[in-house]
Amino acid sequence: MRCGLEKPEKLAFTEDISMTGLSIRTHKVVKPGSVIVTEIYLTDDTKIQLKGCVTWAKILPPAMAGETKKEGMGIKIVKFLSDGESVWKKYIESCGDLQKAGECSTTGSRDIHNTLNMLPG
């Protein structure tokens, strides 16, 4: 995924995702209350663009950077751009279906979220 204040230019990684928000793992955070633009790539080269409000941000000292997944920002989805909402909803539902079918454990769930981090090409 990519994100930024004016345009999605900084590479980052998704963590927890839901219909209403997501966590972005990055050491380049912005102030809570800021609105950012994100571009999320699914495994089938589908791109979702959205605007979100930063609800929390946390930076860790460099020595601790690899020790926790909580460095980054929490984003509340404010607006989907183009037809992103329907694509996002289908994707979230497909993740839930995999979990219900027992095909997705806690580790598998993280793998599904990591597919959002792959850039096309």
Side-chain angles (χ1 to χ4, degrees), residues 6-96:
E6 298 294 322
K7 60 182 180 178
E9 56 193 4
K10 297 176 185 173
L11 183 63
F13 300 92
T14 59
E15 288 290 324
D16 300 321
I17 61 172
S18 73
M19 270 308 295
T20 59
L22 62 144
S23 294
I24 298 176
R25 188 170 29 121
T26 180
H27 62 275
K28 296 180 180 180
V29 302
V30 297
K31 185 173 122 177
S34 301
V35 174
I36 65 169
V37 179
T38 67
E39 199 167 72
I40 302 169
Y41 301 92
L42 302 179
T43 55
D44 63 358
D45 293 336
T46 301
K47 177 173 57 175
I48 298 172
Q49 293 183 315
L50 60 91
K51 286 187 177 185
C53 180
V54 178
T55 58
W56 61 265
K58 184 176 183 180
I59 300 174
L60 296 175
M64 296 178 64
E67 296 180 24
T68 181
K69 295 190 313 185
K70 294 300 179 190
E71 179 177 53
M73 304 178 283
I75 307 299
K76 179 180 179 183
I77 298 171
V78 174
K79 178 181 180 181
F80 286 92
L81 306 175
S82 66
D83 66 344
E85 186 170 8
S86 62
V87 174
W88 184 254
K89 182 177 181 180
K90 287 178 186 175
Y91 187 78
I92 296 296
E93 288 172 353
S94 73
C95 291

